[in-house]
Amino acid sequence: GEEGERDDRSSRAPSRSRSLAKSGSVATTRYKDHTQGLYLLLVGRAMARVGSKSLRVTRSEETTPPVLVGSRLHLLGSVYVVQGVEGDRIDLAREVLAEGAPPSMAGGEEAEVWLFLEQKSAMGDPNPDIQLLLYNMSAHTMAIQLLGLPLSASHASPADAEVRQVLLGAYRLLKALCAGFKVTQLALT
């Protein structure tokens, strides 16, 4: 249309960007991956309570970067922005949600949870040389085998935490191996 008309594509979900590329008379749609270049580092464990805005770090990994004001933390399947850090206490911008919390936290009890720090890769884009190297080393087949680890989907127990972390790591590895790399994509179909 005209310059003054609103483009309907701009009202779509922010995680998708649409671009049209024409080759001959066929139009294709590409979607941008909003998680591209993002990864999570295990910070350690923290005591958390549903409805509370603060956490107390109980175990921390020595090699992770410090948690700073403005950092994005992942815990219990949700993302939280850090508003303040003092010693082993971390204050969040919003309350810890009940969604994704283990049953032990349902009654307002405090429980120890895994704490991850969101980081952005310096490169951002997939590295085809590394993807090819990992493909030739059969990393994708090992990740698929890891996804077959037994896990109770109906009941989340603290004993399953390590298995869940391995499954999450295997999923992320497969996602990184397939990002823009047709060889791995075709091998997994």
Side-chain angles (χ1 to χ4, degrees), residues 48 50 74-78 80 96-102 105 112-114:
V50 171
H74 291 242
L75 62 133
L76 301 172
S78 296
Y80 299 88
V96 174
L97 302 174
E99 184 179 321
M105 295 178 74
E112 195 172 41
V113 297
W114 292 101

Side-chain angles (χ1 to χ4, degrees), residues 17-94:
S17 68
R18 187 171 180 168
S19 64
L20 296 176
K22 296 210 179 216
S23 60
S25 61
V26 178
T28 59
T29 303
R30 290 187 56 197
Y31 291 96
K32 181 178 167 126
D33 180 3
H34 69 281
T35 63
Q36 186 173 344
L38 293 180
Y39 62 95
L40 299 179
L41 286 175
L42 175 64
V43 172
R45 299 196 42 101
M47 296 303 288
R49 183 185 324 266
V50 171
S52 174
K53 285 186 173 184
S54 64
L55 309 170
R56 185 176 46 83
V57 177
T58 56
R59 289 189 302 187
S60 61
E61 297 292 320
E62 300 294 323
T63 58
T64 57
V67 175
L68 305 170
V69 173
S71 294
R72 293 169 53 92
L73 294 177
H74 291 242
L75 62 133
L76 301 172
S78 296
V79 181
Y80 299 88
V81 176
V82 175
Q83 270 196 327
V85 179
E86 188 175 320
D88 64 350
R89 181 180 158 164
I90 298 173
D91 294 320
L92 307 173
R94 64 182 173 118

